[in-house]
Amino acid sequence: EKGNITYGELAAELGEVNPEELDRVFDTFEELGVNEPLRKAVEEMGFEAPMPIQERVIPRLLGDANDIVALAQTGTGKTAAFGLPVLQRIDAGVRRPQALVLAPTRELCLQISSDLVDYSKYISGVKVIPVYGGSSIESQIRSLRAGANVIVATPGRLIDLIKRGVVKLDEVNTVVLDEADEMLNMGFLDSIEEILSHVPEDHKTLLFSATMPADILKIAKHYMRDYEEIVVGTRNEGSENVRHIYYMVNARDKYLALKRVVDNSPGIYAIVFCRTRRDTQEIADNLIKDGYNAEALHGDLSQQQRDIVMKKFRDRVVTILVATDVAARGLDVSDLTHVINYGLPEDTAVYNHRSGRTGRAGKKGVSVAIIHSREKGRLREIERIIGKTFEHLEVPTPEHIIEKQLYNLADRLEKVKVNEEGIAKYLPGISRKLEWLSEEDLIKRVISLEFNRLLDYYKDAPKIDFIDAKPERDRKRKGEKKGPAHERPADDREKDRRTAARGMERVYVNVGKRDGFFAGNLIEALNKLVQGKRVDVGRIDLLPAYTLFDVSKKDARKVVGALTGADFFGKRLHSEIADKDRDYSRLSDKKKKSKSKQ
C-alpha cells in the first residue's frame, strides 16, 4: 500500500517484525532505513555497504524492537551500528540529553564521540558531548550547560556530574553500554547500576560486548526488557580474519624471540601486550635502545604522556606500542598488522580483546604468542574456548630474517615513486661519481648501507626455540639419570650455568644480587664502559655473589677488558671468560670466608 518503502520504515510502521526478515542481507544503508544526511556522511567516510553487525542492529533500533545484547568483536562496525540510529532518532530542537553512551575508558569515549560527530556532519544542530576523567570538569560543565543531545561518558565522571546537578537523564530514550565486559573488568558494575537508576524506565538499552561473562547476563536480565541477543560470529570467538600463531622459547629468550618476530615482519605495525607496568617499560626501553620505533603505554604515565604516545602511534611515528591491557583499553587503531602477546593472559576474554585489535574491517591480521613451556596448557585452554587452533612455528632464523628483509628492500626499490623532475638536475653529478661502480657493486652497496647492522647482529646468532623433553627421554634410554635442574646435583647445575649458548661466549663478573647488581646494572655498565657498537647480551644468570652472562664471541674479550678494574659502588670489578671447569660458587665462598677472617 505504501509503495517504495525502506525496511527500516516498515519496521517502524509495524512495530513487531518477524526477526527472520530483520536478519535478511541489506546491500545499502538506504535499505536499512538510514536517512539521507547520515548516508551522505558515511559515504564520505568510505562506508560502501553495511557490515553484518550494522545489518542486524540498525533496523531493530529504528523500529520498535526489544532491547539488544550484541556480541561482536572490536572493529566490526559497532559504533556505526548504534550511532546511526541513535542520531536519526535525535530531536535536534530539544537541547537535552536524549541518548547516553557509556564507555570504559577516556580513549574509547573520545573515539566514539568523534565518530558520532562525523556521522552527524550534515544534521544541523545535533550536539555530541564527551565527558571523562583526567580532563577539566569545569570545561565539560560549560559544554553541557550550553546543551547536549548525546552524551558519551565514562561512568565515574558521569556520576560526578549527576551529583553536581549538571546532567539530568530524565529525557534519555536510548542507553548504549559499549565494551560492557571491559567495564565490568574495571569494576564499574555499581556505577552502571547507579547511572541506569536516573534513566526513564521506558528507554531502549543496547549492550555491546566482545564476550559474554555471567555478569553481563545479570545486567541484561536485571535492567533490560525482553532483550534479544545478536551474535556476530560465535560466543567468545576470535576474529575470523586473525591468524593465531605461537613460538615456544625458554623464558630467558623471550625478548630475543620478540626481536626476531619484529625483524621478520617488514612494515610491522603492532601492539606488544605485557602483564606488568615494569615489563612494559623495560621491553619498550630495550626496543628503543636496539633501534626500533617503540614506546611504552602503561598506568605510570600521566594523561598528557599517554596522549602524546598514542598520537605518535596513530600517526605511525611509532610502529611498536608496548602496553598493558588496562592502558590499551579503548585504544582504537586501524590497520594493525600484529598483536604480540609477550606471554598469555590468565583470562581468555583478555586474549580475545587483544587479538580482536587486528584483522579488522575484512583485513588480515596476526596474533602472536611468545610463550615458554609452562604456558602450553593455558594455550590449549584458549584454543578450546575461542574455537581456534594456534599454529606452532619455529622462531625465525637469522637466514630467513635477512632474506625477507632483503627482498622487502628490493620490493621497495621496485615500487618507489621516482620524482623525475625533482632529481633530474642532480643525476649527472651523481652518475659521474658512481660511474666506476658496476651494477652488481652498486646493488651490494645499497644493501650494505641498509643492512650492515642487521647482518652484524645476526652473525653467529643461535637458534632459540625451546627444546622439549626428547633429549631427556634419550638419556633415560641410555640409563643416565638426569632430571630437572632443581633435582640435579649442584655441580651439574653450576656446570650448566658456565655453558654459553651457541655462537656466544660466557663471561664472569664478580658482583651479584648480594651487591645490588642486577640485569639493568649490567646493561648500563656495558653501555657506559664498552667502546664502539652496542654489545648484544644473551642469557644472564644472576647469583648472590657473582654473575654469568652471554655475549657474542666477537665482543667477549672487549667486554672483559672494559669491566675489569671498573668500580661498582666501591667494589672493584673482576671479569673473565668463564671457564667451564671452574666452580665460581666455591671461588666466591673462599673470598667470603677470607673477608670474614679479616
Side-chain angles (χ1 to χ4, degrees), residues 1 11 13 43 98 100 112 142 165 172 220 254 260 284 316-317 323 423 459 464-465 549 580 586:
E1 290 177 359
E13 186 73 26
E43 284 167 10
Q98 297 160 55
L100 171 66
I112 292 169
R142 286 194 296 272
V172 167
K254 275 192 172 186
R260 291 200 187 181
R316 298 208 181 197
V317 175
I423 65 173
K459 185 181 179 183
I464 59 174
D465 290 273
F549 61 98
K580 291 181 182 179
R586 290 176 183 171

Side-chain angles (χ1 to χ4, degrees), residues 482 484-498 543 546 580 582-586 589:
K482 190 172 183 183
H486 68 278
E487 296 175 358
R488 300 203 305 269
D491 286 350
D492 286 352
R493 296 203 302 273
E494 177 62 26
K495 204 166 282 187
D496 286 346
R497 290 195 192 105
R498 299 194 299 269
L543 286 303
Y546 65 99
K580 291 181 182 179
R582 190 172 191 182
D583 190 341
Y584 289 102
S585 63
R586 290 176 183 171
D589 285 342

Side-chain angles (χ1 to χ4, degrees), residues 54 78 180 232 316 369 417 424 483 517 538 553:
Q54 295 159 3
K78 292 184 297 178
V232 176
R316 298 208 181 197
K417 184 179 178 181
F517 188 79
K553 287 186 176 180

Side-chain angles (χ1 to χ4, degrees), residues 11-286:
E13 186 73 26
L14 296 177
E16 294 296 329
V17 186
N18 182 349
E20 291 181 5
E21 286 296 309
L22 279 171
D23 286 337
R24 76 181 182 85
V25 175
F26 296 91
D27 295 324
T28 66
F29 284 98
E30 185 176 5
E31 289 181 345
L32 290 175
V34 177
N35 65 25
E36 196 276 334
L38 290 169
R39 291 201 310 272
K40 185 178 178 182
V42 297
E43 284 167 10
E44 285 185 5
M45 294 170 69
F47 289 48
E48 295 178 356
M51 297 172 75
I53 189 70
Q54 295 159 3
E55 290 177 346
R56 301 189 66 183
V57 170
I58 290 174
R60 288 170 166 84
L61 274 184
L62 291 176
D64 290 330
N66 300 333
D67 291 346
I68 294 170
V69 174
L71 278 84
Q73 295 295 315
T74 302
T76 52
K78 292 184 297 178
T79 305
F82 67 74
L84 297 177
V86 158
L87 291 168
Q88 189 159 318
R89 288 159 58 99
I90 291 294
D91 181 351
V94 179
R95 277 301 179 91
R96 298 275 302 237
Q98 297 160 55
L100 171 66
V101 181
L102 292 178
T105 65
R106 174 186 194 269
E107 290 74 29
L108 185 57
C109 178
L110 286 168
Q111 183 66 47
I112 292 169
S113 59
S114 174
D115 289 343
L116 295 182
V117 168
D118 289 342
Y119 301 155
S120 59
K121 180 179 179 180
Y122 295 106
I123 303 177
S124 177
V126 170
K127 191 74 171 174
V128 179
I129 302 291
V131 295
Y132 47 84
S135 185
S136 168
I137 195 168
E138 285 76 19
S139 63
Q140 292 175 5
I141 289 171
R142 286 194 296 272
S143 298
L144 289 164
R145 283 181 173 157
N149 302 115
V150 182
I151 294 177
V152 186
T154 54
R157 176 53 60 91
L158 183 60
I159 287 175
D160 193 354
L161 292 165
I162 290 171
K163 287 179 177 177
R164 291 178 184 226
V166 178
V167 171
K168 296 194 181 298
L169 304 176
D170 50 355
E171 292 187 33
V172 167
N173 58 50
T174 309
V175 176
V176 180
L177 306 178
D178 195 18
E179 295 203 5
D181 48 355
E182 286 288 356
M183 284 197 278
L184 293 183
N185 288 339
M186 295 172 73
F188 285 137
L189 179 58
D190 291 342
S191 300
I192 291 169
E193 290 179 341
E194 182 175 346
I195 290 165
L196 292 176
S197 70
H198 292 274
V199 178
E201 286 188 12
D202 61 349
H203 73 276
K204 189 185 291 285
T205 304
L206 290 87
L207 187 153
F208 287 85
S209 183
T211 57
M212 184 59 95
D215 284 340
I216 295 288
L217 289 172
K218 286 179 186 175
I219 290 179
K221 289 174 181 176
H222 195 271
Y223 291 99
M224 301 175 74
R225 298 164 295 139
D226 300 322
Y227 69 88
E228 180 181 354
E229 186 178 313
I230 296 173
V231 181
V232 176
T234 307
R235 282 169 171 259
N236 300 322
E237 178 190 58
S239 169
E240 286 294 331
N241 294 325
V242 178
R243 179 186 178 198
H244 300 266
I245 64 178
Y246 76 97
Y247 301 99
M248 188 177 293
V249 297
N250 291 303
R252 63 176 177 265
D253 291 329
K254 275 192 172 186
Y255 179 69
L256 296 178
L258 171 63
K259 288 205 295 183
R260 291 200 187 181
V261 169
V262 172
D263 288 341
N264 197 52
S265 309
I268 191 170
Y269 184 44
I271 300 179
V272 179
F273 282 101
C274 301
R275 287 189 180 184
T276 68
R277 298 174 185 182
R278 182 178 175 181
D279 285 348
T280 300
Q281 190 63 58
E282 184 178 320
I283 290 164
D285 287 346
N286 286 337

